[in-house]
Amino acid sequence: MGILQIVIVLAVLVALVKPVGNYVYHVFSNEPNRQDRIFGPFERLIYFLIGLKSRAGMTWKKYALSFLLTNIVLVAVGYVILRVQQYLPLNPNGIGNMEQTLSFNTIISFITNTNLQDYSGETGLSYFSQMVVIMMMMFTSAATGFSVAIAFVRGITSKGETIGNFFEDFVKAHTRIFLPASVLVTLLLVALQVPQTLDPTLTVTTLEGAVQSIAIGPVAALESIKHIGTNGGGFFGVNSAHPFENPSPLTNVIEILSMWALPASLPYVYGRFAKNRKQGWVIFSAMMTLFLLFLSLIHFSELRGNPAINAMGIDASQGSMEGKEVRFGIPQSTLFTAVTTAATTGTVNNMHDTLTPLGGLGALGEMMLNVVFGGKGVGLINMLMYAILGVFLCGLMVGRTPEFLGRKIEPREMKLIAVAILAHPFLILVPTAIAFMTDLGRGAITNPGAHGISQVLYQYVSSAANNGSGFEGLADNTPFWNISTGLVMLFGRYIFMIAMLAVAGSLVRKQWVPETVGTFRTDNKLFYGILIGTVLIIGALTFLPAIVLGPIAEHLKLG
Amino acid sequence: MSANRKTMLSSAIISRAVKDSFIKLNPVSMMKNPVMFVVEVGTVVVLMMTLFPGYFQTQDQIGFNLTVFFILLFTVLFANFAEALAEGRGKAQADSLKNSKKEINANKVVGGVIKIVPSTELRKGDIVSVSQGEMIPGDGEVIEGLASVDESAITGESAPVIKEAGGDFSSVTGGTRVVSDKITVRITSDPGESFIDRMISLVEGAKRQKTPNELALNTLLTSLTIIFLIVVVTLGPIAGYLNIELQIPVLIALLVCLIPTTIGGLLSAIGIAGMDRVTQFNVLAMSGKAVEAAGDINTMILDKTGTITYGNRMASEFVPVGGEALQTVGEWAAISSVRDETPEGRSVLELMKKQSLAYDGSVATGAEFIEFKAETRMSGVDLQDGRKVRKGAVDAVKKWVTAQGGNIPADLDASSDSIAREGGTPLAVAMDNRIYGLIYLKDTVKPGMRDRFDQLRQMGIKTIMCTGDNPLTAATIAREAGVDDFVAESKPEDKIALIRREQAEGKLVAMTGDGTNDAPALAQADVGLAMNSGTIAAKEAANMVDLDSDPSKIIEVVSIGKQLLMTRGALTTFSIANDIAKYFAIIPAMFILAIPEMSALNVMGLGSPLSAILSALIFNAIIIPLLIPLAMKGVAYKPMSASKLLGRNIVIYGLGGVIVPFIGIKLIDLVVHLWV
């Protein structure tokens, strides 16, 4: 039965790829279509209000500058609100202002679509902050990522000087994708008993006569964009394990599909832009293969349970249920974990700290690669970057200068890609090493030995990949952790995005090389294999030593 | 291909390469290769730890450190050796070229008087006179006279070539020798800029610049090196949390194994060897970029005459006129050609055989052979019985016959015109005052061209034939040769337009040429191959010069370019794929003392931690010299579609790269474990 639940969700996802992909393609293709009649007037009003008179295409530099400035303004506004939320309206629970390093971490965390939460929502944020800062950024950061991904795809699939207009993309991502989808999912969740209210925390007397505070709020609205925008920041500290965020297996499936459908359909969108859907399906298949690999690792490892506990004679037939919700069981928990780390959402419905070592490795691995679907477009860009790398490494073997989609890969592109592939391991391994070398870092680790290594590694991997899930268990609300993870999130997102936009900007201007039988094809099974090989050898081997010391050592010690 | 161009790997080259590999240890030159530079720095660090164990507190590991030092040193030396070896052949060639550049005396003509000056004092524009047996003192153009010149110093071809003033055969190269007659030459290059000077610097690789592809690959290899540097440097503190202390030499060993030393060490050797293969093929490439561009060619523009066909000179048909019998035309044509050694003459006899026409060769016994002359434009024999037989240009024969009082058959002009219209050349055959018919001289496609064009098609290269012929003839030859497209009645400017049109579609175009009017097109093409026999303008515009002046060689140049890129790709893939096995050797070895359970990862069952590390390191070092032959020769290449080629190479170098080191390291460990 367990496997069947997973298979059904996978089947629904695969069925969604084409319709969702077609819809997204029409949003950004900038060709007149039926969507314009529904959304056109509203968008024109927005364009008028923000003074966007010309929606001409931008060069990559202008595009990058536009999205950066937009993000900087949002950060400034958000930071101020968090620092003065005590004096602002909609604060029925009288929550105080947020401390400065925590505010820094929180703002960076949400603008980078990471949603690492060093605070607990119930006690750290007013309703106003939840809605105006957190939810606003959940929309805008997702729309930013989506826009950049589309601009990147335009760059590598079209010819000219420009890669689209950021403001137009940004507005359309909101009006045509994130807002309608969120409204839909919010209504579904409300129907399935997720609270949506501005009433303060309930104080109730339990049957035993004790007085209990029950936190509520505008949960359903946040819950929908949290997943659709692959944000992951929960309304409550325990995130989607909380019964108000995720009350039933059905809401669990809805949440899984909400965070997964858009990233999974992006390869298809890319195929449509490339005017060769097979290109898209090759990317999708590579992502899905890696996903199934990691899902199996997590699922079977959790199902097997902890050998040390099993040896104590405790019933292991349910698998390792420590840290998991009974209403989800192993399959709904492992699938959720695999999807949330794949789509870099970071929402959790179980405690990742209590995953078996190999289960934790699965979650870690997906974030380390950051190409298994990935959130809000970044995964697609990343996978395409590996595609370019694969083309570069293997393309020479057909006796031609490597070319991807008819564009030659030359020193300029390789330099930019070098920046991107260097940044990821640098941002993970260097802070991890620093954390172990300093008392400030070591002090937060709550587990000795190999598991401690996994905890720290997970924190930085999650930050660098802009995932935001925590292994938890790390006492991370200290200036050291707030600042270090804040910087890792910041660089992890922007260095990569700017470098890849530059790649797109460089490719868009190139002369196309016509395809002949002598051309290295990127739309067939062989390339699918090369792509997976490149991801595993370049992406994964980097982290092998650290993984061996963390989860693998822990696993081997369990016997 | 000539003998002197193929300098074999003599022991002199090898011993010089060994010496050079030590000279190349100089850090300043090593820094140009970041991958190997990192290895060198590691080597020095380990050396320090071996020499000053007290300072580093490594007294108990002197033996291990010393071993690691030597393996690392050899890794660097092997890489240097590969490069030096690749350079060696070029250097040897350069030396022999330098010999032919010895200073000689030149007969400078100043105001009509000959003055003897050293060749080094000649400047552009000077006039020199060169007589039989003398060496031409510098590059120049023949302005007066005709001579045969021995160019073997450059081309390796021993048969002398004719050089004459004006036209496309007027350029001479300094250092070549006049074997007959006397010519006056206008010098066209200043000292140090001559063809031989350029050739020396090219084969020596002195001014070798990295190609864009090499630069891009270098960027990737450097960033992989930095990534692994980060991995290894951060491993210490992370392992420290588990109270595992990692020795610096062990970390350096891990680093050196992980960074792409195999390709890093062989990269420049591959590039030099690729250029060298072109040179050995008697083609002089002006830059490595040109050779790589050859691999990328999409369209090849070929002249019909000389490249695809031999030219207008093979007899293909006898056309009787004035009601004569075919047999008679053939007979007189054959008799006129019995003593004719020109290709046209021989082809007449071959045609007789092919058409099984008989003739009586004894008629010509004792006859006097009349050679072809520009004034008469006829050749033939004067038979002993006084009869005269001629074949030659139609109007010349007509004049000859009329002069003897003969009549011109009415259908002669019509027949000869129709041959001319089809692009052929008509030769009239006459005996005394009577014209019997015409020999249809037709272009003949060189044997094997069809196969070569098929191969090009498999590589995805389109061939376009350019010819001055009319469309009808052009179509016939195009069909016969199997080219993809043709341009008939083409003028030189059509060629350049054609190249631009193809380039506008993003295609890379290759072409060959020799005349001055080919120069702009040669310059416009991505790969322009000029014939050494051609004009100076053509040679300067092209980025390759074929010393044998065989235009069809462009096809092989493309193969060499592809092979160069493939070799680079194959060894890169191999090198990176090797990392998997190296990880499995070293990682368990590093941690097994602290975490005994790590033995589960020792999938190769290596003897001991120390032997595992040393074995991986030794494998990493010796794979470089083992792959030198492959880097120098290039990977095997047969024309086939990209998908097939890729599939094949992925299996050999990708999968092979994953599997080979597992076997190699295990085998080395079996030996090394005897000691540690």
Side-chain angles (χ1 to χ4, degrees):
Chain A
M1 268 309 282
I3 295 289
L4 192 64
Q5 291 183 43
I6 293 176
V7 171
I8 290 172
V9 177
L10 287 174
V12 174
L13 176 91
V14 173
L16 279 174
V17 166
K18 235 175 120 170
V20 174
N22 279 326
Y23 181 84
V24 173
Y25 171 72
H26 287 304
V27 171
F28 295 107
S29 70
N30 290 345
E31 286 154 9
N33 57 57
R34 273 177 300 169
Q35 292 174 5
D36 294 342
R37 261 183 285 162
I38 308 167
F39 302 104
F42 182 48
E43 285 163 1
R44 277 193 293 277
L45 177 69
I46 295 175
Y47 297 146
F48 174 74
L49 287 176
I50 61 177
L52 186 68
K53 291 191 188 88
S54 155
R55 279 176 279 145
M58 297 171 165
T59 61
W60 81 265
K61 281 183 188 153
K62 204 169 169 201
Y63 201 100
L65 198 68
S66 305
F67 99 79
L68 277 178
L69 283 177
T70 309
N71 279 205
I72 288 170
V73 170
L74 295 175
V75 163
V77 171
Y79 182 80
V80 171
I81 293 177
L82 290 187
R83 298 281 290 138
V84 300
Q85 62 178 352
Q86 193 179 345
Y87 317 112
L88 295 172
L90 285 179
N91 189 5
N93 298 326
I95 288 165
N97 296 334
M98 196 180 261
E99 181 268 331
Q100 60 184 19
T101 62
L102 184 58
S103 299
F104 166 77
N105 184 279
T106 305
I107 283 296
I108 297 300
S109 168
F110 281 86
I111 196 67
T112 57
N113 201 268
T114 312
N115 295 203
L116 194 71
Q117 292 165 293
D118 285 358
Y119 66 92
S120 205
E122 305 92 317
T123 53
L125 290 174
S126 69
Y127 286 170
F128 185 80
S129 299
Q130 288 274 24
M131 290 193 294
V132 175
V133 179
I134 302 300
M135 279 164 65
M136 176 273 284
M137 284 198 171
M138 283 182 165
F139 277 99
T140 53
S141 65
T144 302
F146 227 73
S147 303
V148 170
I150 295 291
F152 179 77
V153 168
R154 280 195 200 113
I156 63 171
T157 57
S158 66
K159 195 159 120 183
E161 288 288 322
T162 58
I163 53 175
N165 183 300
F166 171 72
F167 299 109
E168 185 183 5
D169 291 342
F170 188 65
V171 169
K172 277 179 165 179
H174 281 102
T175 54
R176 300 194 186 191
I177 297 174
F178 293 113
L179 282 171
S182 301
V183 169
L184 190 75
V185 173
T186 303
L187 291 177
L188 273 175
L189 291 177
V190 170
L192 292 166
Q193 311 294 324
V194 177
Q196 173 71 15
T197 173
L198 290 179
D199 290 345
T201 300
L202 298 175
T203 306
V204 295
T205 310
T206 62
L207 291 176
E208 290 163 350
V211 176
Q212 189 183 349
S213 297
I214 300 178
I216 50 170
V219 183
L222 184 135
E223 206 58 23
S224 63
I225 187 60
K226 165 178 125 186
H227 291 104
I228 290 165
T230 64
N231 291 289
F235 194 92
F236 303 107
V238 294
N239 216 306
S240 280
H242 195 289
F244 285 173
E245 286 204 18
N246 191 4
S248 66
L250 190 54
T251 55
N252 199 51
V253 170
I254 290 175
E255 290 179 6
I256 288 174
L257 290 174
S258 325
M259 62 175 146
W260 202 6
L262 281 173
S265 62
L266 269 180
Y268 181 81
V269 176
Y270 153 71
R272 290 219 50 179
F273 270 102
K275 305 217 165 30
N276 179 354
R277 290 174 209 203
K278 271 167 91 187
Q279 297 274 11
W281 285 119
V282 163
I283 301 281
F284 177 85
S285 311
M287 288 176 167
M288 192 47 118
T289 307
L290 289 168
F291 177 81
L292 291 177
L293 224 67
F294 284 111
L295 174 66
S296 312
L297 179 67
I298 300 171
H299 184 73
F300 292 108
S301 167
E302 294 309 308
L303 214 54
R304 176 170 166 259
N306 183 335
I309 293 180
N310 297 353
M312 290 157 71
I314 292 168
D315 176 31
S317 61
Q318 292 283 308
S320 173
M321 281 302 288
E322 186 195 349
K324 295 187 182 64
E325 295 293 307
V326 178
R327 65 184 184 282
F328 300 135
I330 295 288
Q332 291 272 353
S333 300
T334 54
L335 181 62
F336 200 95
T337 293
V339 174
T340 190
T341 46
T344 70
T345 310
T347 173
V348 288
N349 79 349
N350 64 86
M351 182 76 162
H352 285 188
D353 201 20
T354 58
L355 289 172
T356 57
L358 292 186
L361 170 63
L364 256 176
E366 285 191 308
M367 293 190 291
M368 282 168 167
L369 296 184
N370 202 9
V371 296
V372 188
F373 297 109
K376 64 275 152 182
V378 173
L380 177 71
I381 304 181
N382 219 340
M383 193 54 134
L384 289 173
M385 180 190 83
Y386 277 104
I388 296 175
L389 264 180
V391 163
F392 187 79
L393 287 173
C394 299
L396 277 173
M397 283 196 285
V398 304
R400 290 176 65 89
T401 311
E403 56 208 44
F404 183 62
L405 300 178
R407 257 69 67 87
K408 281 198 191 310
I409 311 298
E410 289 171 305
R412 183 178 155 79
E413 290 79 53
M414 284 319 293
K415 272 184 204 148
L416 292 164
I417 288 177
V419 170
I421 57 168
L422 271 173
H424 197 55
F426 182 88
L427 288 173
I428 292 171
L429 293 175
V430 172
T432 302
I434 292 172
F436 283 118
M437 286 193 298
T438 55
D439 288 336
L440 286 173
R442 279 183 180 231
I445 304 168
T446 55
N447 281 74
H451 194 77
I453 290 181
S454 300
Q455 282 186 329
V456 175
L457 199 57
Y458 193 103
Q459 190 76 356
Y460 287 112
V461 168
S462 175
S463 302
N466 295 144
N467 176 290
S469 66
F471 224 33
E472 305 305 339
L474 202 60
D476 51 15
N477 184 11
T478 63
F480 174 84
W481 288 98
N482 284 338
I483 293 169
S484 67
T485 55
L487 292 175
V488 170
M489 289 187 277
L490 195 64
F491 294 130
R493 183 164 171 97
Y494 293 106
I495 289 179
F496 174 78
M497 277 187 169
I498 294 168
M500 295 317 282
L501 272 182
V503 170
S506 164
L507 289 179
V508 77
R509 283 200 296 269
K510 282 202 179 182
Q511 169 75 273
W512 289 23
V513 183
E515 192 176 294
T516 66
V517 287
T519 307
F520 178 96
R521 297 190 70 89
T522 52
D523 60 354
N524 57 16
K525 279 188 208 135
L526 189 58
F527 187 67
Y528 154 85
I530 289 173
L531 187 53
I532 293 180
T534 311
V535 167
L536 290 180
I537 290 185
I538 307 271
L541 284 189
T542 313
F543 296 106
L544 193 70
I547 285 174
V548 165
L549 286 176
I552 291 183
E554 192 186 353
H555 171 76
L556 292 174
K557 279 185 171 173
L558 280 181
Chain B
M1 206 185 300
S2 60
N4 92 331
R5 197 70 44 217
K6 262 204 274 179
T7 319
M8 295 317 284
L9 284 178
S10 63
S11 57
I13 292 181
I14 292 175
S15 66
R16 178 147 89 174
V18 170
K19 210 174 86 194
D20 281 351
S21 43
F22 282 93
I23 296 170
K24 282 169 186 279
L25 285 176
N26 179 353
V28 179
S29 64
M30 284 300 288
M31 258 153 92
K32 286 183 203 137
N33 183 344
V35 181
M36 296 318 293
F37 182 66
V38 167
V39 182
E40 191 176 38
V41 171
T43 313
V44 172
V45 172
V46 178
L47 177 66
M48 289 297 152
M49 300 185 85
T50 316
L51 292 181
F52 310 107
Y55 182 77
F56 293 97
Q57 304 190 330
T58 49
Q59 290 93 335
D60 50 338
Q61 307 147 20
I62 293 175
F64 175 75
N65 289 355
L66 194 66
T67 318
V68 171
F69 163 71
F70 275 113
I71 303 173
L72 292 181
L73 181 65
F74 273 102
T75 312
V76 183
L77 286 176
F78 286 150
N80 288 349
F81 179 70
E83 192 181 75
L85 199 60
E87 286 168 350
R89 223 167 6 191
K91 279 188 178 152
Q93 264 171 35
D95 287 349
S96 78
L97 281 172
K98 278 176 190 158
N99 285 335
S100 68
K101 230 194 85 182
K102 281 181 303 230
E103 193 175 298
I104 48 170
N105 285 330
N107 312 316
K108 188 170 164 187
V109 183
V110 188
V113 188
I114 288 184
K115 209 173 119 189
I116 310 279
V117 296
S119 59
T120 45
E121 280 178 19
L122 292 174
R123 291 290 179 275
K124 229 182 244 182
D126 288 351
I127 311 284
V128 293
S129 154
V130 193
S131 314
Q132 184 167 347
E134 287 178 343
M135 211 174 252
I136 300 175
D139 292 359
E141 231 173 327
V142 181
I143 49 172
E144 202 187 311
L146 179 151
S148 49
V149 177
D150 172 12
E151 295 199 315
S152 59
I154 298 170
T155 64
E157 178 62 56
S158 53
V161 288
I162 303 290
K163 297 286 178 182
E164 57 183 335
D168 287 348
F169 297 97
S170 62
S171 81
V172 288
T173 312
T176 57
R177 190 177 295 277
V178 173
V179 283
S180 76
D181 301 296
K182 180 178 167 184
I183 43 173
T184 309
V185 175
R186 187 195 298 119
I187 299 296
T188 52
S189 70
D190 287 332
E193 291 166 13
S194 71
F195 190 67
I196 288 210
D197 289 320
R198 271 201 292 167
M199 203 165 154
I200 290 170
S201 82
L202 281 172
V203 294
E204 229 177 6
K207 275 191 267 173
R208 205 180 87 86
Q209 281 188 330
K210 284 196 175 115
T211 64
N213 178 258
E214 252 181 309
L215 284 175
L217 187 56
N218 233 330
T219 308
L220 178 66
L221 296 180
T222 308
S223 48
L224 286 178
T225 305
I226 299 174
I227 288 179
F228 286 120
L229 205 57
I230 296 172
V231 168
V232 171
V233 169
T234 55
L235 192 55
I238 298 176
Y241 183 72
L242 297 181
N243 299 319
I244 303 172
E245 205 182 314
L246 296 171
Q247 303 299 331
I248 287 174
V250 172
L251 285 174
I252 290 175
L254 176 67
L255 176 65
V256 170
C257 280
L258 293 182
I259 61 177
T261 48
T262 313
I263 182 65
L266 294 172
L267 189 57
S268 63
I270 295 170
I272 298 167
M275 288 279 283
D276 194 46
R277 276 201 298 282
V278 177
T279 316
Q280 283 188 61
F281 197 60
N282 243 4
V283 171
L284 211 56
M286 298 303 158
S287 69
K289 205 175 159 184
V291 179
E292 280 179 19
D296 281 351
I297 288 303
N298 301 91
T299 305
M300 199 177 271
I301 296 175
L302 299 161
D303 279 327
K304 186 198 76 173
T305 311
T307 309
I308 298 174
T309 65
Y310 288 111
N312 283 347
R313 50 187 190 192
M314 303 306 239
S316 73
E317 212 180 311
F318 296 120
V319 183
V321 293
E324 299 288 346
L326 177 69
Q327 169 70 28
T328 332
V329 186
E331 256 172 56
W332 290 120
I335 288 166
S336 75
S337 309
V338 181
R339 307 263 306 274
D340 186 355
E341 288 303 314
T342 62
E344 291 90 343
R346 282 199 298 262
S347 75
V348 170
L349 301 184
E350 274 162 33
L351 181 65
M352 291 294 284
K353 240 183 261 170
K354 218 191 281 172
Q355 299 203 347
S356 14
L357 295 172
Y359 69 97
D360 184 6
S362 64
V363 176
T365 325
E368 188 194 349
F369 179 60
I370 309 295
E371 249 184 282
F372 179 88
K373 281 197 194 98
E375 307 91 74
T376 60
R377 293 195 291 142
M378 287 189 301
S379 68
V381 288
D382 289 353
L383 299 180
Q384 268 181 332
D385 58 11
R387 287 186 292 178
K388 292 176 175 165
V389 189
R390 293 288 184 276
K391 69 169 193 289
V394 177
D395 50 339
V397 173
K398 262 158 70 175
K399 215 183 280 169
W400 184 72
V401 169
T402 321
Q404 298 177 72
N407 293 322
I408 308 300
D411 56 348
L412 176 70
D413 282 349
S415 297
S416 76
D417 283 354
S418 94
I419 291 174
R421 256 202 316 279
E422 283 171 40
T425 308
L427 287 187
V429 180
M431 197 272 288
D432 289 347
N433 59 359
R434 193 163 165 193
I435 296 183
Y436 289 85
L438 298 164
I439 303 171
Y440 185 162
L441 291 185
K442 196 176 152 186
D443 253 5
T444 307
V445 174
K446 290 183 181 174
M449 289 315 275
R450 185 171 262 283
D451 288 345
R452 284 173 148 191
F453 293 138
D454 281 344
Q455 287 177 1
L456 286 175
R457 207 165 298 121
Q458 281 169 15
M459 297 181 202
I461 297 172
K462 181 174 145 194
T463 44
I464 302 178
M465 180 181 86
C466 275
T467 170
D469 292 343
N470 62 53
L472 204 69
T473 321
T476 315
I477 298 285
R479 202 171 40 243
E480 214 174 298
V483 293
D484 297 318
D485 203 353
F486 65 88
V487 179
E489 288 166 355
S490 85
K491 297 178 287 295
E493 51 283 15
D494 291 346
K495 234 184 240 178
I496 212 170
L498 177 64
I499 295 173
R500 291 215 174 107
R501 197 188 71 209
E502 293 286 312
Q503 285 175 336
E505 289 170 27
K507 295 176 183 167
L508 264 65
V509 184
M511 73 161 281
T512 60
D514 51 9
T516 300
N517 51 19
D518 282 332
L522 281 169
Q524 178 73 32
D526 300 283
V527 175
L529 177 66
M531 301 299 107
N532 190 45
S533 63
T535 59
I536 291 171
K539 281 196 266 184
E540 275 179 356
N543 45 19
M544 288 190 201
V545 176
D546 177 20
L547 300 173
D548 295 339
S549 304
D550 171 6
S552 59
K553 270 213 238 161
I554 184 89
I555 298 170
E556 276 79 14
V557 171
V558 168
S559 294
I560 294 175
K562 284 196 179 292
Q563 201 188 21
L564 166 65
L565 293 169
M566 277 168 51
T567 308
R568 198 178 286 154
L571 291 182
T572 307
T573 309
F574 184 84
S575 181
I576 291 172
N578 275 350
D579 274 5
I580 299 176
K582 291 176 193 164
Y583 260 126
F584 275 100
I586 297 189
I587 293 284
M590 286 171 98
F591 304 131
I592 209 158
L593 290 180
I595 310 169
E597 292 89 347
M598 285 284 170
S599 62
L601 295 183
N602 183 7
V603 289
M604 282 177 268
L606 302 179
S608 72
L610 287 187
S611 99
I613 292 168
L614 291 178
S615 302
L617 211 50
I618 291 172
F619 176 85
N620 190 56
I622 61 166
I623 196 74
I624 297 176
L626 288 180
L627 288 175
I628 288 179
L630 186 68
M632 304 273 279
K633 273 205 327 244
V635 301
Y637 172 59
K638 276 195 206 112
M640 56 174 99
S641 76
S643 303
K644 269 195 215 155
L645 203 57
L646 183 63
R648 187 172 152 268
N649 285 335
I650 284 276
V651 170
I652 300 177
Y653 300 102
L655 280 184
V658 174
I659 296 164
V660 166
F662 276 102
I663 301 167
I665 292 173
K666 177 70 194 170
L667 289 179
I668 296 169
D669 177 74
L670 289 178
V671 179
V672 173
H673 186 46
L674 297 177
W675 288 279
V676 288

